[in-house]
Amino acid sequence: MKYLLLYFLSSLALLSQETLLLNGPMLGYSDKREVVIWLQTGKPASVQIRFWPQGNQKASKLTAATFTTNEQDLTAHIMVENLEPGSKYGYDVVINNKTVFHSDTVFFQTQALWEWRTDAPDFKVAFGSCVYVNEPVYDRPGTPYGRDAIILESIADQKPDFMMWLGDNIYLREVDWNSKSGISHRYRHARGLTEFKRLFANMHNYAIWDDHDFGPNDSDRGFLFKNLTLEAFRNYWANPSYGRPETPGVFFQFRWSDVDFFMLDDRYYRSPNNLEDSPEKTQLGPAQMQWLKDALLFSKEQSKVSFRVIAIGGQVLNEANRFESFNMFSYERAELLNFIKKYRIPGVVFLTGDIHHSELIKKDDPNFYTLYEYTSSPLTSGLHADDGTANPQLVPNTKITNTQSFGMLRFSGKQGDRKMVMECLDPRGKKLWDFSINENDLKVKKK
């Protein structure tokens, strides 16, 4: 009886520690000397990361303690600093001085210090949009809108260096979006999905939002509680930054190897869709647009950058006024595209989501290079199948994908001859189509 009691008490103590880790860990951004790891506890606690060079656990170190609080919904962004570039590290999660997460198969990585030494490292990126996690008590009656989440396991199987979430990463319901507690519930519920665990723990994650994680369907700057959803977004994602001090939002920039990524906010400053189109009608807003222009010009001066990927929730290049494309804001869209052309910004490619089918389209210009846009949608949400009308902008030898899918980008090659391969994969990881672009294809044509 004594041993049974001891066993029961020790099991209870272990269970108490395990339930302290409510969600996560999730790898956030990665740079050459630091990474951030996100997690959420079940009650206020002290959290740390124990980390070590992969294969050498005896050399482990422990981060300083971070404390989760109710004010930040018990989430923590734990900075792991003073790392070596181009290295992989194993890690544990330590809560209240007890190890509550350990796996011999998970690791994080730092980016390589390759400049002035070697060609840029090859790497691969997964991306997608629209993740609906069913919760019947709060969902609309009828057929569940969320689908099988096996696609998240398939993304993890590809072992990308990082994942880009292009919006609608959760779906706020009518019961959620008008209260801080409702918004918190939706994030907690979605993060508890089992299929997220391996993907989050093993690869770095970067995110922007679209209407459903910003507010109601097709919502804009008039949404009353956008500051609450911005606060929640900052709590639940571990990006390198969020907007600018003087310009709130979720936009930011990061570089991986020799590619610059510009992540845009299409909601916080968005004019109502049904306003008459005019120079004042905006999707990005003047301050974010100026930030993007400045960032693109700065990137252009970086001679070793091969591609410049602009990611935004809704479509940019589609000439049809379908769904909520940038073409509904034609003056602002023209301002951006004309700027890219005027200043001969090379290597620009657009990544988008939202439309609940996937496609690769292009915009030809005889006086410039061809612009491409890869739209990947949805991951687990319902489909909005294309009506079958051939889009004249569709890239030959690709196809509209009327199934759940995710995208992959693979970057490789020698400096000056870098290649980006775009792939579309189905929920089981089967490749549906691919398309290759050389960096030299995305430079202004010489007359």
Side-chain angles (χ1 to χ4, degrees):
M1 181 64 69
K2 175 181 177 182
Y3 294 109
L4 285 175
L5 180 60
L6 289 172
Y7 175 78
F8 173 76
L9 291 174
S10 63
S11 298
L12 188 63
L14 180 61
L15 179 62
S16 175
Q17 290 296 334
E18 288 178 342
T19 54
L20 272 178
L21 182 60
L22 182 65
N23 287 313
M26 179 188 75
L27 302 183
Y29 75 84
S30 168
D31 214 304
K32 291 180 171 67
R33 297 301 304 273
E34 67 183 33
V35 305
V36 166
I37 299 179
W38 175 94
L39 57 83
Q40 184 177 37
T41 59
K43 60 183 180 181
S46 165
V47 297
Q48 296 169 281
I49 298 296
R50 179 180 291 111
F51 62 99
W52 56 89
Q54 194 173 36
N56 186 14
Q57 192 166 356
K58 290 182 179 180
S60 65
K61 298 179 181 179
L62 198 61
T63 65
T66 299
F67 296 90
T68 61
T69 65
N70 290 318
E71 288 73 22
Q72 293 183 307
D73 207 9
L74 300 174
T75 62
H77 295 201
I78 305 171
M79 185 80 70
V80 188
E81 301 175 296
N82 299 316
L83 303 169
E84 287 302 314
S87 301
K88 294 182 178 180
Y89 291 83
Y91 70 96
D92 292 338
V93 174
V94 178
I95 300 181
N96 292 342
N97 299 315
K98 299 288 185 179
T99 299
V100 300
F101 174 88
H102 173 80
S103 172
D104 292 326
T105 62
V106 302
F107 62 88
F108 63 81
Q109 64 173 314
T110 54
Q111 293 197 48
L113 177 60
W114 60 273
E115 294 89 341
W116 306 104
R117 293 161 175 82
T118 66
D119 288 317
D122 298 345
F123 68 101
K124 54 185 177 180
V125 185
F127 65 99
S129 64
C130 305
V131 182
Y132 193 99
V133 181
N134 295 325
E135 189 178 17
V137 66
Y138 297 126
D139 294 344
R140 296 179 185 179
T143 304
Y145 193 59
R147 302 298 193 265
D148 188 342
I150 189 66
I151 193 169
L152 302 176
E153 296 277 8
S154 297
I155 294 172
D157 289 341
Q158 293 292 319
K159 298 182 179 179
D161 292 282
F162 61 94
M163 172 74 184
M164 295 170 60
W165 304 88
L166 300 187
D168 296 343
N169 309 309
I170 61 166
Y171 275 69
L172 294 170
R173 319 304 204 248
E174 291 83 356
V175 71
D176 300 327
W177 59 58
N178 287 338
S179 69
K180 185 174 181 177
S181 60
I183 296 164
S184 171
H185 171 79
R186 186 54 48 213
Y187 269 101
R188 286 171 176 242
H189 178 261
R191 285 292 166 93
L193 189 67
T194 300
E195 288 84 353
F196 274 130
K197 294 186 182 302
R198 187 161 59 98
L199 189 160
F200 278 164
N202 245 331
M203 60 205 68
H204 297 271
N205 293 269
Y206 299 81
I208 51 176
W209 62 15
D210 199 30
D211 52 340
H212 292 290
D213 33 4
F214 171 79
N217 185 48
D218 295 350
S219 47
D220 55 48
R221 67 190 181 195
F223 173 51
L224 184 61
F225 297 102
K226 64 183 182 181
N227 288 343
L228 293 183
T229 52
L230 177 57
E231 179 184 359
F233 185 95
R234 290 170 61 102
N235 284 339
Y236 279 85
W237 293 105
N239 293 333
S241 61
Y242 309 85
R244 303 290 295 166
E246 69 284 359
T247 311
V250 303
F251 61 92
F252 65 100
Q253 179 191 354
F254 71 99
R255 180 174 297 172
W256 197 287
S257 186
D258 64 332
V259 179
D260 277 345
F261 294 86
F262 305 86
M263 311 290 281
L264 302 185
D265 185 333
D266 67 344
R267 293 293 160 181
Y268 204 87
Y269 299 98
R270 185 190 192 98
S271 302
N273 289 336
N274 57 8
L275 280 183
E276 181 180 355
D277 200 11
S278 71
E280 288 71 43
K281 187 178 181 182
T282 180
Q283 181 174 224
L284 302 180
Q288 183 181 185
M289 176 65 83
Q290 189 60 57
W291 166 85
L292 177 59
K293 290 177 179 178
D294 292 345
L296 286 169
L297 282 177
F298 182 84
S299 176
K300 181 187 176 184
E301 299 306 314
Q302 311 299 302
S303 61
K304 296 181 184 297
V305 174
S306 59
F307 294 94
R308 292 162 182 86
V309 177
I310 300 177
I312 186 171
Q315 286 195 308
V316 175
L317 299 181
N318 201 328
E319 300 294 345
N321 280 324
R322 302 181 62 195
F323 310 110
E324 291 190 289
S325 76
F326 211 161
N327 204 38
M328 298 174 69
F329 305 81
S330 64
Y331 289 87
E332 189 181 59
R333 186 185 82 145
E335 179 183 354
L336 174 58
L337 298 183
N338 289 340
F339 178 86
I340 292 170
K341 183 175 179 179
K342 177 180 178 179
Y343 288 96
R344 304 163 74 91
I345 309 294
V348 173
V349 175
F350 293 93
L351 296 185
T352 58
D354 178 57
I355 62 174
H356 293 257
H357 62 265
S358 297
E359 62 187 17
L360 178 62
I361 62 175
K362 62 187 176 73
K363 181 178 176 62
D364 292 319
D365 184 338
N367 298 312
F368 199 59
Y369 62 82
T370 298
L371 291 171
Y372 292 92
E373 175 178 359
Y374 184 174
T375 303
S376 182
S377 171
L379 289 167
T380 71
S381 304
L383 293 165
H384 188 289
D386 186 82
D387 62 8
T389 303
N391 185 341
Q393 293 181 265
L394 192 69
V395 173
N397 301 317
T398 67
K399 58 184 178 181
I400 294 173
T401 305
N402 288 319
T403 184
Q404 280 74 28
S405 65
F406 65 97
M408 290 290 298
L409 303 179
R410 301 178 187 272
F411 297 90
S412 62
K414 299 288 187 180
Q415 184 176 347
D417 193 32
R418 297 281 280 174
K419 180 174 68 173
M420 174 175 62
V421 178
M422 302 176 173
E423 298 177 346
C424 182
L425 296 93
D426 76 4
R428 299 284 172 175
K430 178 183 177 183
K431 186 163 64 175
L432 302 174
W433 53 260
D434 61 32
F435 184 77
S436 178
I437 305 173
N438 188 283
E439 67 169 299
N440 295 298
D441 296 333
L442 304 183
K443 294 180 179 177
V444 179
K445 299 172 183 176
K446 294 181 180 180
K447 295 182 180 180

